Amino acid sequence: MGTPGTSTTMRIGTVAERTGLSLRTLRHWDEVGLVTPSGRTDGGFRLYTDTDVDRILLVRRMKPLGFSLDEMAGLLDVVHRLAGGETIDPDGADLRARLDEFTTTARARRADLARKLDMADELIALLGAV
């Protein structure tokens, strides 16, 4: 842990190990502006904070549900603004309502995955009975 007022940083390899993601994925997310590291070393190496890792883990959880990069960026923005105490988006949208939309979509996509998993289990059982 760092001293009060400072935050510890991690290089990309450590972040990859902590999140179970590849270096390539983390670099891609940085390049497209989805999750940008908080800093860089003098040599240009990415430096991530615990907050950056939390954002990465949120995105990682969205991936299996089929959210697009734009949707992921939108959710990250909503979460960031709500954490900062904002309730209204610059375009006048209610951030809580936007979060509720993401939650509804995530629930629907999860239910679809559960149905697919049930069908896969049925197939495995049928194949085992042959």
Side-chain angles (χ1 to χ4, degrees), residues 62-85:
M62 293 179 77
K63 282 183 65 162
L65 297 177
F67 284 95
S68 69
L69 289 176
D70 286 341
E71 290 170 319
M72 291 177 188
L75 178 58
L76 287 172
D77 181 58
V78 168
V79 168
H80 175 75
R81 290 174 182 277
L82 285 170

Side-chain angles (χ1 to χ4, degrees), residues 30-86:
D30 177 18
E31 290 164 7
V32 299
L34 185 60
V35 181
T36 304
S38 290
R40 291 197 180 254
T41 66
D42 291 338
F45 293 101
R46 293 166 176 86
L47 294 174
Y48 294 87
T49 63
D50 286 334
T51 301
D52 297 332
V53 172
D54 289 342
R55 290 172 56 87
I56 289 166
L57 291 172
L58 180 61
V59 170
R60 188 188 75 184
R61 290 177 181 113
M62 293 179 77
K63 282 183 65 162
L65 297 177
F67 284 95
S68 69
L69 289 176
D70 286 341
E71 290 170 319
M72 291 177 188
L75 178 58
L76 287 172
D77 181 58
V78 168
V79 168
H80 175 75
R81 290 174 182 277
L82 285 170
E86 294 181 46

Side-chain angles (χ1 to χ4, degrees), residues 87-107:
T87 57
I88 303 294
D89 220 347
D91 66 3
D94 180 323
L95 291 173
R96 276 281 162 213
R98 287 186 60 202
L99 182 63
D100 289 345
E101 290 172 18
F102 279 111
T103 302
T104 299
T105 300
R107 283 188 178 127

Side-chain angles (χ1 to χ4, degrees), residues 1-8:
M1 296 298 293
T3 57
T6 65
S7 62
T8 58

